[in-house]
């Protein structure tokens, strides 16, 4: 699941964030909607919220994330905050198109492939700013650092 505000809505001088909600097996739609709604009603500068499934991510990146945040013991969904950097997402899209020239040429690149590339760029764990299992701490972090 992926939520994205239009880039036209982004204020250039305001800091925008991406939030990944990570679980072992993914969230049910109702739980994802409730968490997303709670965040979006509390803060205005969140551009992307994604449902991340732990087993679908590179294990080395997950280890690095845990190292950076001192191996937190999270149960249930945890939240990973990154700064939204439109250039990173554009770069990842171009890389996808470059690596699959023929698919792009024949219009065979799917929306799923583009969304996976965008999610990868938006949730680079090496650039994570905050990691918590408490949605209130996530909201507090964004308010404090905006």
């Amino acid at each position: 699941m992926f939520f994205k505000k239009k880039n036209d809505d982004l204020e250039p001088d305001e800091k925008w964030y991406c939030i990944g909600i990570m679980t072992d097996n993914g969230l049910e739609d109702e739980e994802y909607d409730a968490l997303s709604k709670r965040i979006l009603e509390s803060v205005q500068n969140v551009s992307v919220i994604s449902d991340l499934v732990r087993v679908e991510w590179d294990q080395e990146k997950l280890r690095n994330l845990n190292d950076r945040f001192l191996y937190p013991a999270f149960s249930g969904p945890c939240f990973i905050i990154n700064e939204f950097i439109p250039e990173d997402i554009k770069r990842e899209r171009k890389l996808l198109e470059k690596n699959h020239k023929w698919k792009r040429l024949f219009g065979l690149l799917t929306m799923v492939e583009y969304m996976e590339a965008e999610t990868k760029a938006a949730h680079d764990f090496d650039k994570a700013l905050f990691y918590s299992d408490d949605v209130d701490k996530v909201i507090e972090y964004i308010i404090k650092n905006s």
Side-chain angles (χ1 to χ4, degrees), residues 79-130:
F79 303 87
I80 304 162
I81 300 177
N82 285 66
E83 184 173 351
F84 178 75
I85 304 171
E87 294 79 27
D88 288 353
I89 293 174
K90 288 177 189 172
R91 189 176 321 114
E92 197 64 35
R93 271 192 227 129
K94 286 183 182 182
L95 182 63
L96 173 71
E97 291 172 349
K98 179 181 175 187
N99 289 338
H100 300 283
K101 291 178 189 174
W102 291 107
K103 284 179 87 173
R104 182 185 58 83
L105 183 64
F106 292 110
L108 300 175
L109 277 174
T110 66
M111 275 309 271
V112 171
E113 290 171 304
Y114 278 103
M115 287 175 59
E116 287 173 354
E118 290 175 359
T119 300
K120 179 181 171 187
H123 301 292
D124 182 352
F125 297 155
D126 294 334
K127 298 177 184 177
L129 302 172
F130 190 73

Side-chain angles (χ1 to χ4, degrees), residues 18-139:
C18 305
I19 299 175
I21 306 172
M22 182 171 279
T23 57
D24 289 329
N25 301 310
L27 294 167
E28 295 293 327
D29 288 344
E30 298 79 23
E31 187 178 12
Y32 173 80
D33 291 342
L35 290 170
S36 298
K37 184 177 178 182
R38 177 136 182 238
I39 292 167
L40 293 171
E41 286 178 348
S42 301
V43 292
Q44 299 301 314
N45 53 338
V46 172
S47 180
V48 176
I49 297 179
S50 303
D51 180 7
L52 309 177
V53 180
R54 189 170 276 111
V55 296
E56 294 175 359
W57 287 85
D58 180 310
Q59 293 304 305
E60 185 64 29
K61 292 258 187 200
L62 288 171
R63 256 191 304 285
N64 292 343
L65 178 69
N66 286 325
D67 284 344
R68 286 189 54 220
F69 292 97
L70 306 174
Y71 285 92
F74 294 145
S75 61
C78 60
F79 303 87
I80 304 162
I81 300 177
N82 285 66
E83 184 173 351
F84 178 75
I85 304 171
E87 294 79 27
D88 288 353
I89 293 174
K90 288 177 189 172
R91 189 176 321 114
E92 197 64 35
R93 271 192 227 129
K94 286 183 182 182
L95 182 63
L96 173 71
E97 291 172 349
K98 179 181 175 187
N99 289 338
H100 300 283
K101 291 178 189 174
W102 291 107
K103 284 179 87 173
R104 182 185 58 83
L105 183 64
F106 292 110
L108 300 175
L109 277 174
T110 66
M111 275 309 271
V112 171
E113 290 171 304
Y114 278 103
M115 287 175 59
E116 287 173 354
E118 290 175 359
T119 300
K120 179 181 171 187
H123 301 292
D124 182 352
F125 297 155
D126 294 334
K127 298 177 184 177
L129 302 172
F130 190 73
Y131 187 34
S132 175
D133 63 347
D134 185 346
V135 70
D136 292 323
K137 287 182 181 178
V138 168
I139 293 166

